[in-house]
């Protein structure tokens, strides 16, 4: 969405209104998935923030009780994303901050600089959830980092319990997950997420 293309923006708003009206029972609306990951959002953090504001206004005009939120790959994002989202905190109700770890995380990882603490301080009172949390089944290279864990579902389940406990303690209110992601690294690794909450 851009100020240069008002017709496209109007078309998007009409589409958004149509979608919200088609699903009157939906109470949570998440604006995109992992916006800080270039495969999902190819524009700037500032334009994503603008997209969030525009979308939130439209959704809440039709459904004042609906919750509107954003999705990022994990809490430890650079200043550009934090600064952009801080500017629209009043337009959102929740932050969906994903966690995929190379090993069982430490509490320090959750509270390091420009991490979860920064988000909580910058957008106080906003619900923090994770719709994606998991551990790979075999060593893989993802985003330039080698992720190494035990190769059994039992080991993953044990680590996930520890991770979830630390996430709840850190301030997450909800953690959603699915059973197995076979496409995490196609043909190489599954993410077993067999501990549901």
């Amino acid at each position: 969405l851009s100020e240069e293309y008002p017709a496209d923006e109007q078309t998007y708003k009409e589409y958004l209104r149509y979608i919200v009206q088609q699903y009157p029972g939906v109470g949570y609306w998440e604006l995109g998935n992992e916006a800080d990951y270039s495969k999902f959002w190819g524009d700037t953090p500032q334009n994503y923030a603008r997209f969030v504001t525009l979308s939130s206004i439209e959704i809440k005009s039709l459904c004042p009780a609906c919750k509107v939120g954003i999705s990022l790959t994990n809490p430890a994002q650079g200043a550009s994303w934090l600064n952009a989202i801080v500017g629209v905190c009043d337009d959102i109700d929740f932050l969906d901050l994903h966690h995929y770890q190379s090993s069982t995380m430490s509490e320090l990882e959750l509270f390091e600089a420009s991490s979860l603490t920064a988000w909580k301080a910058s957008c106080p009172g906003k619900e923090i959830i994770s719709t994606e949390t998991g551990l790979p089944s075999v060593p893989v290279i993802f985003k330039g980092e080698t992720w190494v864990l035990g190769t059994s579902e039992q080991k993953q389940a044990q680590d996930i319990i520890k991770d979830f406990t630390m996430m709840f303690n850190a301030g997450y209110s909800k953690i959603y997950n699915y059973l197995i992601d076979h496409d995490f690294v196609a043909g190489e690794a599954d993410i077993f997420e067999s501990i549901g909450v």
Side-chain angles (χ1 to χ4, degrees), residues 120-135:
K120 289 167 71 174
S122 300
C123 293
K126 303 304 176 185
E127 184 178 18
I128 300 173
I129 67 173
S130 180
T131 59
E132 295 184 35
T133 299
L135 305 165

Side-chain angles (χ1 to χ4, degrees), residues 6-57:
D8 291 348
E9 186 173 297
Q10 185 57 38
T11 300
Y12 168 72
K13 291 196 300 191
E14 291 170 6
Y15 171 75
L16 189 58
R17 285 194 293 270
Y18 170 79
I19 293 296
V20 173
Q21 290 169 341
Q22 289 301 305
Y23 298 96
V26 172
Y28 276 66
W29 292 90
E30 186 166 288
L31 303 172
N33 177 56
E34 299 185 348
D36 54 326
Y37 187 28
S38 61
K39 289 188 177 181
F40 294 127
W41 180 262
D43 207 335
T44 66
Q46 292 72 28
N47 279 339
Y48 177 70
R50 187 170 177 274
F51 163 74
V52 167
T53 296
L54 183 145
S55 302
S56 180
I57 290 169

Side-chain angles (χ1 to χ4, degrees), residues 111-125:
F111 290 103
E112 65 189 2
S114 78
S115 187
L116 190 58
T117 301
W119 284 107
K120 289 167 71 174
S122 300
C123 293

